[in-house]
Amino acid sequence: MLDFDQRGKVFITCKDRFASYLEKEVRELGFVPESVSRTGIELKASLEECMDLNLHLRTASQVLFEIKSFYLQNADDIYRKIKAIEWEEFLDVDGYFSVNSVVDNESINNPMFVNVRVKDAIVDRFRDKTGRRPDSGSDFQGLVFQLYWKGTQASMYINTSGETIAKHGYRKIPGKAPMLEALASATIFATEWNTRVPFVNPMCGAGTLAIEAALLATKRYPGLFRDNYSFQYILGYQEEAFKAKKKKLENKIMEVPEVKIIASDISLQAIAFAKENAIVAGVDHMIDFQVCDFEETVIPEKPRGVVIFNPEYGQRLGESLELEETYKRMGDYMKQKCAGYRGYIFTGNMELAKKVGLKANRRIEFWNGTIDCRLLKYELYEGKKET
């Protein structure tokens, strides 16, 4: 049985280009990163602290607690090395587990082979020790083990998250081409919105950006919306500790009625979906939903805040031609009606972005799935720039 207070090596994964935003979150929670890479952060933490990380982080994907690191030369060594690990310290014989692996080794051309060998080794160790075996499968239910293997160096982790925490759990109706919740959070961090000035999201779709802004402003953390994590299946886990942490999350919520968050869309259905998602997230009372063309979005004159668009990218030629006018209108809207605001457009089509007609003074890199995207920042000066 593991000591949940014993610190060890933890690797928090994230999507490529999220690491700087994840690092900010981690530091605000009181942790000091030992290293930061493009897709994650390494630090020291206990399993107890991993629970907190899972409940709080907005831009992370998984929180991995290292069991063992070891030399692993080729496929023939997998079974022996894995079977030698004391799996009975982590997993109940009547429990359920799954295995995932990330492998870069010349002896492996099929990662599924690695998963099967790891599962076989774990199961056979239990059979040898107890005459019984735990159940296993390919889903991320129960206790999840993760193998990272690059060259001849391998590390075995408990994936304390299980299913990715990049999905925050409140979005029951995704809508058309939704932005992943963690991406929405990272995008908001990139705007440097201070959570006390207006946040305006025309063309809001399923409302993810506006909802994440409301969650951030009120200190509502993703753990409020989820009750099932892999760490709950580790030997030594105490349900009372988890319930206490959930209660602390609820106590952190602070209402800020003065904050103006506006989400508009021309589609009545999109707004209906966005409202439903906002209700689940507990922030529907904070968002002014407007059904209108984006040019008719009514925004506060003062104080000035952030206006952000996440338009379609037009992946096919015909779509791009149709969207050229839309991008031009976005530029006109920001120039004519958003003076004094900071304007942003999140897009995966830089040719269309040229139609905005405004000069972006920052181009912040993101990936949306496999699409290379930019968050374009526009300073929307009142009068002439010099004044």
Side-chain angles (χ1 to χ4, degrees):
M1 183 180 295
L2 288 177
D3 179 357
F4 267 56
D5 292 321
Q6 179 68 43
R7 283 195 150 203
K9 185 186 293 185
V10 169
F11 190 72
I12 308 170
T13 68
C14 63
K15 299 292 185 183
D16 191 9
R17 299 175 176 170
F18 284 18
S20 61
Y21 312 108
L22 176 59
E23 181 182 4
K24 180 175 180 289
E25 288 193 274
V26 164
R27 289 187 182 277
E28 286 179 352
L29 290 173
F31 295 89
V32 179
E34 294 191 345
S35 65
V36 180
S37 67
R38 288 178 62 98
T39 57
I41 291 176
E42 187 176 299
L43 49 78
K44 287 288 193 299
S46 66
L47 283 169
E48 185 80 16
E49 290 169 324
C50 285
M51 293 167 66
D52 286 314
L53 290 165
N54 275 289
L55 292 169
H56 285 84
L57 294 175
R58 303 178 195 272
T59 60
S61 295
Q62 272 112 16
V63 180
L64 309 177
F65 184 88
E66 187 178 87
I67 296 172
K68 188 178 181 64
S69 60
F70 48 93
Y71 177 83
L72 186 57
Q73 185 171 6
N74 55 51
D76 294 336
D77 297 330
I78 297 172
Y79 181 87
R80 176 175 54 83
K81 292 279 189 177
I82 299 300
K83 191 177 180 184
I85 297 173
E86 296 177 336
W87 296 103
E88 61 274 11
E89 292 292 312
F90 315 122
L91 175 65
D92 191 285
V93 69
D94 295 318
Y96 181 94
F97 76 97
S98 61
V99 174
N100 190 40
S101 59
V102 178
V103 178
D104 180 10
N105 179 279
E106 60 184 12
S107 70
I108 301 296
N109 55 24
N110 183 0
M112 294 302 296
F113 167 79
V114 177
N115 293 350
V116 171
R117 292 300 285 162
V118 171
K119 283 181 184 178
D120 288 346
I122 295 172
V123 166
D124 288 351
R125 181 179 177 94
F126 272 98
R127 279 204 187 100
D128 291 349
K129 294 284 183 179
T130 68
R132 298 157 58 207
R133 56 152 290 177
D135 288 333
S136 64
S138 58
D139 52 10
F140 273 58
Q141 300 302 309
L143 187 51
V144 181
F145 298 116
Q146 184 110 9
L147 174 67
Y148 273 83
W149 179 15
K150 184 176 177 63
T152 58
Q153 295 301 310
S155 293
M156 200 77 209
Y157 296 90
I158 295 175
N159 176 348
T160 66
S161 307
E163 290 286 354
T164 179
I165 54 175
K167 297 178 181 179
H168 294 167
Y170 61 81
R171 195 167 65 186
K172 305 306 178 185
I173 309 175
K176 181 182 178 183
M179 179 181 268
L180 184 70
E181 294 95 311
L183 174 57
S185 289
T187 302
I188 294 168
F189 287 143
T191 70
E192 299 181 334
W193 179 56
N194 70 8
T195 75
R196 292 299 177 264
V197 295
F199 184 93
V200 184
N201 179 211
M203 303 170 68
C204 70
T208 308
L209 278 167
I211 293 169
E212 288 293 330
L215 294 174
L216 182 63
T218 56
K219 297 189 182 298
R220 285 176 164 90
Y221 292 95
L224 288 166
F225 314 110
R226 180 167 165 178
D227 291 312
N228 188 33
Y229 297 87
S230 175
F231 61 69
Q232 293 170 291
Y233 302 91
I234 303 171
L235 283 178
Y237 163 77
Q238 298 292 325
E239 180 70 13
E240 295 75 16
F242 178 63
K243 289 180 177 178
K245 291 179 186 299
K246 292 275 284 191
K247 186 64 177 177
K248 284 184 179 179
L249 286 189
E250 294 173 6
N251 293 337
K252 287 182 179 181
I253 296 172
M254 50 183 289
E255 297 298 345
V256 282
E258 71 277 12
V259 176
K260 304 297 183 185
I261 299 175
I262 296 165
S264 71
D265 202 285
I266 198 170
S267 166
L268 180 60
Q269 184 183 60
I271 291 296
F273 289 171
K275 284 182 177 179
E276 287 296 320
N277 291 330
I279 289 170
V280 175
V283 295
D284 54 301
H285 62 290
M286 290 185 61
I287 304 173
D288 176 10
F289 290 104
Q290 303 177 13
V291 181
C292 62
D293 183 84
F294 70 81
E295 287 183 310
E296 299 169 6
T297 305
V298 179
I299 67 174
E301 289 189 12
K302 290 186 178 180
R304 271 77 169 186
V306 165
V307 57
I308 181 169
F309 288 84
N310 177 29
E312 295 181 27
Y313 310 155
Q315 297 302 298
R316 293 187 291 272
L317 178 61
E319 292 175 334
S320 292
L321 293 173
E322 291 175 8
L323 286 169
E324 286 183 4
E325 180 62 21
T326 301
Y327 275 67
K328 179 182 181 300
R329 289 171 58 219
M330 285 192 292
D332 292 342
Y333 173 77
M334 288 193 292
K335 182 167 54 178
Q336 295 165 9
K337 297 187 178 180
C338 304
Y341 274 71
R342 293 199 311 277
Y344 295 87
I345 295 177
F346 186 98
T347 182
N349 190 323
M350 294 308 295
E351 287 302 311
L352 280 174
K354 294 176 183 177
K355 304 299 180 181
V356 172
L358 299 172
K359 184 177 180 181
N361 64 338
R362 279 196 73 191
R363 294 172 172 81
I364 306 167
E365 296 181 345
F366 283 101
W367 291 101
N368 188 359
T370 59
I371 303 172
D372 189 10
C373 295
R374 297 294 182 272
L375 177 66
L376 305 173
K377 178 184 178 183
Y378 304 91
E379 293 290 355
L380 307 173
Y381 298 99
E382 297 182 87
K384 291 186 178 180
K385 180 177 178 180
E386 290 77 10
T387 60

